[in-house]
Amino acid sequence: AAGELLLANFKKRILDIIGELNSRLVSIKNMSLSDRKKSIQIQAGLKSAQGKIGQVSGFDQSASALDANVSRLETQVIAIEANYKKTTIACIKGKTVKKVTAVKPVCPKGYKKK
């Protein structure tokens, strides 16, 4: 009974991770074409992993492979997210300071980066 509970928790954890990764991919705005293609491949991999959850009947090679596959997909999502992470810079013009937040922030005309 304890083994069944552990397996059920494992499957739930994998499903939760898959759901989270899908939503993180969907939330990225203005994705480049190459990253969009990667995102589609990752989503297909996540869907495949989700389908394989039902085939896992114990903590054997299939569970280990599924866990490794989902970890690999998570690493790929993190790599794509890094390309679109917003940063904030401070720009100064006289005594006026403006904060600019963007993926690639640039100071407005006449302002210099602090």
Side-chain angles (χ1 to χ4, degrees):
E4 290 175 13
L5 183 61
L6 283 173
L7 186 60
N9 285 339
F10 170 77
K11 289 180 178 183
K12 183 183 179 318
R13 183 180 65 83
I14 294 292
L15 278 174
D16 289 347
I17 292 170
I18 289 171
E20 180 198 345
L21 293 177
N22 264 322
S23 64
R24 283 166 53 185
L25 277 175
V26 170
S27 70
I28 299 173
K29 305 282 187 257
N30 303 321
M31 207 181 290
S32 70
L33 186 61
S34 65
D35 282 343
R36 199 170 300 127
K37 287 178 181 177
K38 288 178 195 171
S39 172
I40 290 168
Q41 290 174 340
I42 293 169
Q43 286 174 322
L46 290 170
K47 191 170 186 167
S48 170
Q50 191 172 3
K52 290 179 182 173
I53 288 175
Q55 298 170 5
V56 176
S57 59
F59 289 105
D60 54 10
Q61 198 170 1
S62 62
S64 177
L66 179 64
D67 197 28
N69 187 27
V70 171
S71 293
R72 182 181 54 80
L73 293 168
E74 185 173 21
T75 303
Q76 291 175 354
V77 170
I78 291 168
I80 289 177
E81 283 177 327
N83 294 335
Y84 301 96
K85 188 174 192 301
K86 290 184 178 183
T87 54
T88 301
I89 60 170
C91 302
I92 191 162
K93 180 180 181 183
K95 292 184 178 181
T96 308
V97 177
K98 278 192 175 182
K99 291 190 182 247
V100 179
T101 302
V103 174
K104 294 181 182 175
V106 177
C107 289
K109 189 173 183 178
Y111 284 77
K112 297 239 188 267
K113 190 172 175 182
K114 195 171 181 182

